[in-house]
């Protein structure tokens, strides 16, 4: 499941397309659930074909490919991949970008479940359409003071608060469990009841977990879906202390067993002994 570290890795992995001129954007034939593409492929080509890619950025959990005036916004969601190499199969390729003078280079957006989205828009509209009132500060850019202020405004459990993209953009389910375990905070603790000292620690753990996961190029779980842009697995899954370890002895305290609960329809993993 692509989260901030995986999407950041995707952005870095496709850096070879910066400076390339787009020949065309196409939607390959796919017999499965279609993804959302707005506007139409024809309209997208009218605006970006022949244009040069100037930069690639990440917006929360989205990959943003910028020409001079327009941007293609790819949102992988649950099972999407953005890649320069062969994806897990050819049947679920949802979008392909071809480049002038480089017949062997193509950017692929692959999505097994069809939950991802593609949006093209003028760069000047990104703030109004995707950020304002919809996306909080990026988890890797927000300062500690603002992080604490935002988190303390909500009475929801801290794990649920961390997943709210309007509060903080980019923290996903897997990493939220890992962050709270390292900070020794119960995922059930109400966010507004957590001391500033403990929130400072959560912030430090958030930065550490996300940065380390990026260095490890994300987490490839047992389904093997996530691959980086060069079709190699990430290896941060080897650093997981609680995620997907239900019933195992906690590696931190060596006493408790990892428990699984459901919060906001997502699985939460934690050690009841460490995270009281």
């Amino acid at each position: 499941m692509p989260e901030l570290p995986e999407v950041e890795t995707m952005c870095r992995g496709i850096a070879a397309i910066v400076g390339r001129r787009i020949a065309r954007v196409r939607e390959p034939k796919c017999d499965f659930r279609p993804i959302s593409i707005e506007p139409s492929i024809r309209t997208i080509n009218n605006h970006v074909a022949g244009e040069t890619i100037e930069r690639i950025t990440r917006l929360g959990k989205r990959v943003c490919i910028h020409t001079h005036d327009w941007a293609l916004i790819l949102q992988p969601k649950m099972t999407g991949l953005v890649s320069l190499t062969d994806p897990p199969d050819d049947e679920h390729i949802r979008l392909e970008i071809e480049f002038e003078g480089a017949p062997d280079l193509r950017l692929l957006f692959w999505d097994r479940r069809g939950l991802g989205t593609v949006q093209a828009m003028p760069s000047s509209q990104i703030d109004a359409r995707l950020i304002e009132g919809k996306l909080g500060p990026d988890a890797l850019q927000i300062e500690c003071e603002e992080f604490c202020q935002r988190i303390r405004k909500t009475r929801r459990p801290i794990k649920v608060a961390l997943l709210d993209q309007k509060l903080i953009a980019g923290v996903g389910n897997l990493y939220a469990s890992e962050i709270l375990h390292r900070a020794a905070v119960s995922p059930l603790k109400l966010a507004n009841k957590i001391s500033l000292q403990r929130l400072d620690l959560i912030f430090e753990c958030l930065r550490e977990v996300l940065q380390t996961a990026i260095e490890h190029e994300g987490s490839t779980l047992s389904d093997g879906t996530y691959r980086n842009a060069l079709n190699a697995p990430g290896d941060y899954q080897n650093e997981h202390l609680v995620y997907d370890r239900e019933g195992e002895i906690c590696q931190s305290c060596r006493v408790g067993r990892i428990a699984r609960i459901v919060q906001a329809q997502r699985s939460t993993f934690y050690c009841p002994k460490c995270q009281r």
Side-chain angles (χ1 to χ4, degrees), residues 217-238:
E217 300 198 318
S219 301
T220 298
L221 304 180
S222 57
D223 62 5
T225 295
Y226 169 70
R227 315 284 288 183
N228 66 22
L230 299 178
N231 203 28
D235 64 4
Y236 188 72
Q237 66 276 6
N238 299 318

Side-chain angles (χ1 to χ4, degrees), residues 7-268:
V7 175
E8 179 73 19
T9 299
M10 290 179 195
C11 291
R12 297 181 183 189
I14 63 173
I17 67 173
V18 174
R20 296 284 187 176
R21 190 184 299 273
I22 297 172
R24 68 165 177 160
V25 180
R26 59 182 293 266
E27 183 180 7
K29 183 180 182 300
C30 180
D31 296 326
F32 301 94
R33 171 181 174 169
I35 66 171
S36 172
I37 300 179
E38 298 179 352
S40 68
I41 290 294
R42 175 178 294 183
T43 302
I44 291 174
N45 272 295
N46 287 341
H47 289 288
V48 304
E51 296 294 315
T52 299
I53 294 175
E54 295 189 350
R55 68 189 188 281
I56 298 166
T57 62
R58 178 183 55 77
L59 184 60
K61 300 178 187 179
R62 297 175 173 94
V63 175
C64 305
I65 301 170
H66 301 266
T67 64
H68 183 65
D69 295 315
W70 275 66
L72 275 172
I73 316 293
L74 312 181
Q75 187 172 17
K77 289 198 174 177
M78 294 287 287
T79 57
L81 298 174
V82 180
S83 175
L84 296 178
T85 57
D86 292 336
D89 61 56
D90 293 332
E91 298 177 339
H92 296 90
I93 297 175
R94 309 306 184 130
L95 194 80
E96 180 178 349
I97 303 178
E98 299 172 351
F99 301 93
E100 294 182 5
D104 295 328
L105 180 66
R106 58 178 186 156
L107 181 74
L108 302 175
F109 183 21
W110 179 94
D111 186 353
R112 176 178 292 159
R113 293 178 61 183
L115 301 175
T117 66
V118 176
Q119 292 177 284
M121 66 187 69
S123 299
S124 59
Q125 295 182 10
I126 291 177
D127 282 358
R129 292 176 60 178
L130 298 179
I131 299 177
E132 294 174 2
K134 300 175 183 177
L135 206 60
D138 189 273
L140 289 179
Q141 297 175 4
I142 191 172
E143 297 295 332
C144 184
E145 182 178 358
E146 184 180 3
F147 171 83
C148 295
Q149 290 175 349
R150 284 176 166 267
I151 293 297
R152 294 197 97 190
K153 287 180 179 179
T154 178
R155 297 180 179 181
R156 291 170 293 175
I158 180 61
K159 165 74 177 336
V160 177
L162 288 176
L163 298 182
D164 185 349
Q165 300 301 295
K166 291 183 180 180
L167 282 180
I168 311 293
V171 180
N173 189 55
L174 184 165
Y175 295 105
S177 287
E178 294 295 319
I179 290 163
L180 292 176
H181 179 75
R182 285 162 172 78
V185 173
S186 168
L188 297 166
K189 182 79 172 177
L190 298 183
N192 66 323
K193 299 295 184 181
I194 300 175
S195 69
L196 286 174
Q197 181 179 10
R198 186 63 65 172
L199 282 175
D200 286 347
L201 179 58
I202 292 174
F203 178 79
E204 292 176 9
C205 293
L206 179 151
R207 284 292 182 87
E208 179 183 355
V209 166
L210 295 182
Q211 291 285 12
T212 304
I214 290 169
E215 293 170 6
H216 284 263
E217 300 198 318
S219 301
T220 298
L221 304 180
S222 57
D223 62 5
T225 295
Y226 169 70
R227 315 284 288 183
N228 66 22
L230 299 178
N231 203 28
D235 64 4
Y236 188 72
Q237 66 276 6
N238 299 318
E239 307 296 319
H240 293 177
L241 296 180
V242 291
Y243 188 81
D244 205 22
R245 292 184 176 275
E246 181 182 9
E248 296 183 18
I249 293 292
C250 175
Q251 298 181 43
S252 299
C253 68
R254 303 291 179 180
V255 176
R257 288 189 180 272
I258 305 303
R260 173 188 174 274
I261 59 175
V262 176
Q263 293 178 290
Q265 300 180 323
R266 307 297 301 277
S267 292
T268 294

